[in-house]
Amino acid sequence: GAGVSQSPSNKVTEKGKDVELRCDPISGHTALYWYRQSLGQGLEFLIYFQGNSAPDKSGLPSDRFSAERTGGSVSTLTIQRTQQEDSAVYLCASSLAFQSEQYFGPGTRLTVT
Amino acid sequence: ELKVEQNPLFLSMQEGKNYTIYCNYSTTSDRLYWYRQDPGKSLESLFVLLSNGAVKQEGRLMASLDTKARLSTLHITAAVHDLSATYFCAVAPYSGGGADGLTFGKGTHLIIQP
């Protein structure tokens, strides 16, 4: 079946602009996760959703980052006023239920110039 | 705070040899995952280890978990070039904890030479 999909696959933006990253989880998966991967920081957990709810937002790097999920499906990660340190690959994962195996999407490579 | 340490971070080995990658973690957990990542690609799930003493094998790879020692190993038997990749271990917080995000090790970049 279809896996986790993310769009865009690549995004180049100017410093100070806002960006939206999209994640479509595997159909029927109730839990959704956002991570980012950078050379300096490795793989970092950002936020997760159980249904449409994000119980813990403490992993988001700053208040410029926000995420939402609607209809228990698609999620968007928004970064406002992008900075160069936001450059990374943003990975989305989904799982059938809370605390079960996570399947990762192909990622969005964000470059802030 | 959960911390995950992998070693080695870089490993170059010859085809046909055996080797082990180690993953130590700092606090109680009951779920550990191994992922593979090829250059420019996303993460591919290899193993899910859910209990003390769990051992799983797939082809030339075998993973084990010792929750008392807070240690997991990924053993490679008779390595072949196709296994060249970066391998990550990832640990979930103990069940019942609030967040469910995985904490990843820094990854082991494995190169297998003919």
Side-chain angles (χ1 to χ4, degrees):
Chain A
V4 178
S5 62
Q6 293 185 245
S7 61
S9 55
N10 282 284
K11 177 72 177 179
V12 180
T13 190
E14 291 181 353
K15 177 181 173 181
K17 301 283 190 183
D18 299 350
V19 294
E20 276 193 1
L21 313 180
R22 176 187 169 107
C23 173
D24 281 275
I26 293 171
S27 178
H29 280 196
T30 61
L32 184 147
Y33 310 79
W34 284 98
Y35 296 83
R36 74 176 177 182
Q37 185 173 27
S38 60
L39 282 175
Q41 301 298 321
L43 273 154
E44 303 172 88
F45 165 67
L46 300 179
I47 191 169
Y48 86 102
F49 289 87
Q50 182 60 25
N52 292 332
S53 173
D56 183 357
K57 300 181 181 180
S58 63
L60 295 175
S62 77
D63 58 9
R64 297 184 294 103
F65 286 70
S66 62
E68 66 174 13
R69 188 180 186 194
T70 55
S73 181
V74 172
S75 175
T76 55
L77 178 69
T78 302
I79 309 172
Q80 295 180 311
R81 305 180 303 281
T82 52
Q83 303 295 312
Q84 287 187 331
E85 62 261 29
D86 300 334
S87 295
V89 176
Y90 289 81
L91 293 165
C92 175
S94 70
S95 65
L96 188 59
F98 186 58
Q99 296 178 350
S100 59
E101 185 176 2
Q102 297 180 24
Y103 297 88
F104 282 79
T108 294
R109 180 174 297 277
L110 175 66
T111 304
V112 182
T113 61
Chain B
E1 179 189 354
L2 176 58
K3 294 185 179 179
V4 180
E5 288 191 2
Q6 272 182 253
N7 68 84
L9 298 182
F10 296 95
L11 177 57
S12 179
M13 55 191 293
Q14 288 185 317
E15 281 191 326
K17 299 291 187 182
N18 304 332
Y19 211 81
T20 301
I21 299 170
Y22 297 88
C23 175
N24 290 89
Y25 54 97
S26 62
T27 64
T28 301
S29 172
D30 53 2
R31 288 175 292 139
L32 189 139
Y33 304 83
W34 284 96
Y35 287 90
R36 168 180 172 148
Q37 187 175 40
D38 292 293
K41 304 292 186 181
S42 189
L43 296 166
E44 174 190 355
S45 178
L46 294 175
F47 300 108
V48 180
L49 302 170
L50 299 177
S51 61
N52 187 41
V55 177
K56 292 197 174 180
Q57 184 163 3
E58 180 73 31
R60 301 174 187 273
L61 300 178
M62 183 174 70
S64 66
L65 178 61
D66 181 344
T67 59
K68 294 180 181 177
R70 297 177 186 166
L71 170 68
S72 179
T73 61
L74 180 66
H75 187 73
I76 303 156
T77 301
V80 292
H81 178 69
D82 286 352
L83 292 179
S84 296
T86 299
Y87 293 85
F88 291 93
C89 67
V91 180
Y94 185 68
S95 302
D100 192 37
L102 300 178
T103 299
F104 282 82
K106 292 188 182 296
T108 296
H109 183 52
L110 175 63
I111 298 173
I112 299 170
Q113 299 175 350

